[in-house]
Amino acid sequence: MINENINREFKKQNFQYSTIKIKHIPKLISNINSKIASKEISPALYSHYLKDFDTSFPESFPSSSSVLIVAAPQYQIDVRFNWKGQIFSLPVPPTYNHKIDSNVELILDKHLIKNGFIYKKANLPLKLLATSSGLAQYGRSNISFIE
């Protein structure tokens, strides 16, 4: 019943999701580490974007069994402002809009927390998780393709 309620609310928001078992996380992290060691992933890229992943996630949250990966369309935001009597329009990338994260958390709070479950936002390689779980077909740079 909980899963059906979450599914219904995610569909209303045009979110898609999948899950991956926690036991697969170390293999995904190992895959990244081997690419770093073989220089497929540049050390500079790693130190800038990847070093903050929480690779101890399965151990730091031992009661967990799965990771929920949620994908949501993110649209450019158009901000308009008036400066010295002239109206300007400025496109803002969707990465600065945190409303989607808040909406996901509200849905999870409503259906998980109130039913005695707990969850934690994981700091893991999201595109790799999305492609590994079957949610996305491709995930590199700032792009993920999800049908």
Side-chain angles (χ1 to χ4, degrees), residues 91-107:
V92 178
T95 53
Y96 294 102
N97 181 359
H98 301 288
K99 185 177 180 187
I100 291 171
D101 292 344
S102 298
N103 288 347
V104 169
E105 289 176 15
L106 287 171
I107 292 168

Side-chain angles (χ1 to χ4, degrees), residues 5 9 19 62 88 96 101-102 133 137-138:
N5 292 336
E9 291 213 33
T19 59
F88 293 89
Y96 294 102
D101 292 344
S102 298
S133 70
Q137 285 127 12
Y138 176 85

Side-chain angles (χ1 to χ4, degrees), residues 30-48:
S30 175
N31 186 352
I32 290 174
N33 290 337
S34 67
K35 288 182 180 195
I36 293 165
S38 70
K39 306 282 193 246
E40 280 182 71
I41 296 176
S42 101
L45 178 80
Y46 172 79
S47 68
H48 192 358

